[in-house]
Amino acid sequence: AVFVGANCTPAVTGATGCVQDYTLADLLLGYKVPGIKGTTVQLDVENLFDTSYQSFPGVPVVGRMALVRVKFDF
């Protein structure tokens, strides 16, 4: 089914659940660990500047998310 939110046109008074426009910046860094062949440590930061946004009507507001991973290639 298609998700339909509130009608967000200026003519509608009292409309709630409208999604505002937003711009995000992400960052992905990787570092090859010396001495351990095929090992990489990665840092992934989504929404780098912690801009609060809502991607769909009715869902929670989202902020920054960071993830650290160790990757082994063999």
Side-chain angles (χ1 to χ4, degrees), residues 26-70:
D26 297 338
L27 175 70
L28 176 62
L29 298 173
Y31 175 73
K32 289 187 176 185
V33 178
I36 306 175
K37 184 179 178 182
T39 303
T40 306
V41 177
Q42 296 178 335
L43 171 65
D44 183 11
V45 181
E46 297 178 9
N47 192 2
L48 182 64
F49 301 114
D50 200 21
T51 304
S52 295
Y53 71 97
Q54 186 178 24
S55 55
F56 293 99
V59 299
V61 175
V62 180
R64 178 185 305 130
M65 182 179 79
L67 175 71
V68 176
R69 71 174 63 99
V70 178

